[in-house]
């Protein structure tokens, strides 16, 4: 008995702090993919920084204790990450999408293509083995990498339909040049890569398929840019420091999910829809879920127009102007997020209506349900409250905002190793 008590004393002395944190993490159920019944959600909550499980500004990279448990309640990750044989069953990932981009199959029905060459010498006649050669092919392909790579593109990477870029198992960067463009194509999955320091390029010929290349004008310098695209899922991508947006979806793009990604060190983070006058974006539906919007961000997380946008279980730990903005009467459905306001007393408002008098935006359907507000953050709702528009801006059931830290602890690129769970 004495030996047992001694063991317990030593164990708790050494591991007590971390163990208590783990034991306090509740067992979570898988989220439903059925439309949410707002009456079942808790009302929005105010909290101080002392009432949340960790300091809101702490980097996700410092929250490793959350990874000890395989299942976290994040429905995407719990679908595939616990399998130690993920490398031999990579395409399982295609079954795990949620939200409006859930039908994106990427290259699930095609062969694997292994990128062996990080160069991008000729955007018109790319070499076999390069990422550009892989993404322009006509057939479905699941694209993986044979080693760590830093790919500096010479021109925009124009993707063809039914492609998956899967960086798991290696550290893959697309950076310091133009980055990824998804234009007039569908069924794209981008997972597990770093996208940062993207720059404009153009006034050049670029190939988009085995049978077509054409002249490209100067690009904006976005990280990932969608233009007339649909059925797109971006998951576990780390974004930072691009010339224009980190992620933009415009010109009639729809059926989009951005999930489990990490955004940092940027001004205009995410644009959803083209302009106030572009009516084709009225049908846009996008899901923004389980992301971490981190240090050094200013605005547009996202900035929306016209369409229907669900913003679910994200962790906002920094903004300098506002978090969620919009114009042209978008429907915004914010549920189960954690919003931690900056110290700036003039930037506590999560929301921003651009260039619109209150007499007009009062009718816009902007809704907050079950959100957690920290350090004086607040959300200004508007609209009818029970509008049928929310049915077009709801495709998944959120978890409690109190669990956001757990579910987003591994946002961004995962450090996956063959033979063990990611």
């Amino acid at each position: 008995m004495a030996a047992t008590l001694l063991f317990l004393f030593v164990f708790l002395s050494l591991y007590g702090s971390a163990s208590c944190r783990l034991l306090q993490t509740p067992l979570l159920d898988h989220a439903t993919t059925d439309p949410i019944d707002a009456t079942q959600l808790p009302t929005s909550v105010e909290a101080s920084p002392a009432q949340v499980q960790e300091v809101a500004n702490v980097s996700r990279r410092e929250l490793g204790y959350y990874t000890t448990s395989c299942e976290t309640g994040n429905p995407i990750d719990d679908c595939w990450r616990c399998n130690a044989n993920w490398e031999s069953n990579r395409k399982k990932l295609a079954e795990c999408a949620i939200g409006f981009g859930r039908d994106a199959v990427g290259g699930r029905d095609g062969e694997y293509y292994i990128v062996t060459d990080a160069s991008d010498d000729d955007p018109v006649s790319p070499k076999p083995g390069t990422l550009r050669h892989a993404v322009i092919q006509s057939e479905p392909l699941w694209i993986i990498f044979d080693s760590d790579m830093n790919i500096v593109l010479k021109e925009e990477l124009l993707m063809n339909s039914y492609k998956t870029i899967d960086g798991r198992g290696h550290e893959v960067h697309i950076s310091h040049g133009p980055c990824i463009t998804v234009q007039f194509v569908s069924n794209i999955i981008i997972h597990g890569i770093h996208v940062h320091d993207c720059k404009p390029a153009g006034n050049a010929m670029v190939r988009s398929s085995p049978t077509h290349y054409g002249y490209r004008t100067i690009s904006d310098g976005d990280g990932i840019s969608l233009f007339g695209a649909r059925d797109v899922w971006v998951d576990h991508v780390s974004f930072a420091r691009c010339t224009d947006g980190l992620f933009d979806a415009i010109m009639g793009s729809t059926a989009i999910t951005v999930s489990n990604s990490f955004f940092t060190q940027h001004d205009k983070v995410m644009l959803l829809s083209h302009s106030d006058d572009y009516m084709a974006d009225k049908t846009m539906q996008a899901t923004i879920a389980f992301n971490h919007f981190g240090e050094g961000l200013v605005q547009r997380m996202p900035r929306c127009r016209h369409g229907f946008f669900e913003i679910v279980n994200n962790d906002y730990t920094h903004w300098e102007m506002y978090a969620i903005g919009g114009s042209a009467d978008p429907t915004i459905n914010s549920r189960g997020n954690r919003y931690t306001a900056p110290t700036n007393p003039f930037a506590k408002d999560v929301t921003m209506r651009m260039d619109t008098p209150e007499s007009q935006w009062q009718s816009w359907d902007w809704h907050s349900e079950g959100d957690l507000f920290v350090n004086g953050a607040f959300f200004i709702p508007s609209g009818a409250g029970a509008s049928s528009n929310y049915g077009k801006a709801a495709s998944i059931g959120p978890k409690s905002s109190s669990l956001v830290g757990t579910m987003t602890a591994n946002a961004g690129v995962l450090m996956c190793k063959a033979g063990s769970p990611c």
Side-chain angles (χ1 to χ4, degrees):
M1 182 66 175
T4 301
L5 291 172
L6 178 62
F7 171 80
L8 287 172
F9 174 80
V10 173
F11 178 84
L12 290 172
S13 298
L14 290 173
Y15 302 111
S17 177
S19 299
C20 288
R21 284 187 297 225
L22 283 170
L23 290 170
Q24 289 169 358
T25 303
L27 182 64
L28 308 177
D29 296 323
H30 292 279
T32 177
T33 57
D34 294 330
I36 184 65
D37 178 359
T39 63
Q40 299 303 310
L41 288 169
T43 56
S44 300
V45 180
E46 292 187 6
S48 67
Q51 291 174 305
V52 295
Q53 288 184 337
E54 68 278 341
V55 176
N57 286 345
V58 172
S59 166
R60 284 291 170 265
R61 307 302 176 259
E62 297 174 349
L63 295 177
Y65 59 81
Y66 280 127
T67 65
T68 310
S69 174
C70 182
E71 293 194 356
T72 67
N74 180 319
I76 299 171
D77 287 358
D78 291 350
C79 175
W80 70 272
R81 279 186 61 197
C82 295
N83 185 358
N85 297 318
W86 62 267
E87 189 179 36
S88 60
N89 190 23
R90 286 177 176 267
K91 293 181 181 180
K92 170 68 174 177
L93 180 69
E95 302 174 13
C96 302
I98 63 167
F100 291 116
R102 62 185 175 273
D103 292 332
V105 299
R108 180 195 64 191
D109 300 326
E111 300 296 325
Y112 286 99
Y113 186 114
I114 303 174
V115 176
T116 59
D117 186 339
S119 70
D120 187 45
D121 299 329
D122 191 341
V124 175
S125 301
K127 291 190 295 185
T130 61
L131 179 60
R132 188 178 299 277
H133 185 267
V135 300
I136 65 170
Q137 299 306 310
S138 299
E139 68 273 17
L141 290 173
W142 196 280
I143 301 162
I144 61 177
F145 300 82
D146 76 339
S147 63
D148 296 350
M149 291 187 183
N150 183 26
I151 300 173
V152 180
L153 296 166
K154 191 172 182 179
E155 299 292 340
E156 292 172 274
L157 188 74
L158 299 180
M159 294 190 68
N160 209 341
S161 293
Y162 293 96
K163 301 294 181 293
T164 297
I165 297 177
D166 178 1
R168 286 176 294 176
H170 294 290
E171 189 165 335
V172 178
H173 294 252
I174 297 178
S175 66
H176 296 94
C179 291
I180 300 172
T181 298
V182 182
Q183 180 170 312
F184 298 130
V185 296
S186 68
N187 285 281
I188 300 295
I189 298 174
I190 300 173
H191 179 97
I193 62 173
H194 300 263
V195 179
H196 58 95
D197 298 289
C198 301
K199 300 176 181 179
N203 290 336
M205 294 291 185
V206 182
R207 186 170 292 279
S208 59
S209 77
T211 59
H212 178 267
Y213 66 89
Y215 186 76
R216 300 290 295 179
T217 57
I218 298 295
S219 62
D220 292 334
D222 294 330
I224 297 177
S225 177
L226 275 55
F227 190 106
R230 65 172 299 120
D231 296 315
V232 177
W233 180 29
V234 174
D235 188 56
H236 278 295
V237 173
S238 293
F239 291 92
R241 299 180 307 274
C242 294
T243 300
D244 191 27
L246 296 182
F247 178 91
D248 285 6
I250 64 171
M251 305 298 286
S253 298
T254 191
I256 300 158
T257 294
V258 180
S259 57
N260 292 314
S261 292
F262 183 76
F263 299 84
T264 188
Q265 300 175 22
H266 194 73
D267 180 3
K268 299 176 181 178
V269 178
M270 183 183 299
L271 176 66
L272 301 178
S273 74
H274 179 62
S275 71
D276 287 3
D277 299 327
Y278 193 75
M279 296 297 107
D281 283 332
K282 281 183 172 291
T283 60
M284 181 181 290
Q285 292 177 298
T287 300
I288 311 300
F290 309 115
N291 302 289
H292 176 209
F293 294 94
E295 289 75 16
L297 301 180
V298 179
Q299 59 180 317
R300 297 189 177 185
M301 302 169 233
R303 190 248 197 264
C304 310
R305 296 181 176 100
H306 294 300
F308 304 92
F309 308 97
E310 62 175 345
I311 301 169
V312 179
N313 288 144
N314 301 283
D315 200 5
Y316 291 82
T317 61
H318 190 92
W319 66 82
E320 293 182 17
M321 290 177 60
Y322 66 90
I324 298 170
S327 59
D329 193 16
T331 296
I332 294 176
N333 204 1
S334 171
R335 295 168 294 151
N337 302 285
R338 181 167 67 180
Y339 296 107
T340 303
T343 56
N344 179 359
F346 302 104
K348 302 296 188 182
D349 190 352
V350 171
T351 59
M352 173 73 75
R353 279 83 166 175
M354 279 76 174
D355 303 320
T356 308
E358 184 175 353
S359 60
Q360 292 184 26
W361 63 250
Q362 279 183 336
S363 64
W364 298 356
D365 291 322
W366 289 29
H367 182 62
S368 169
E369 191 76 39
D371 292 324
L372 178 65
F373 299 100
V374 183
N375 199 31
F378 62 92
F379 185 111
I380 298 179
S382 57
S387 170
S388 61
N389 281 341
Y390 292 125
K392 299 178 182 178
S395 68
I396 62 175
K399 299 289 188 177
S400 169
S401 57
S402 66
L403 306 177
V404 162
T406 307
M407 293 184 292
T408 65
N410 294 292
V413 174
L414 297 165
M415 303 304 291
C416 297
K417 295 183 179 180
S420 62
C422 277

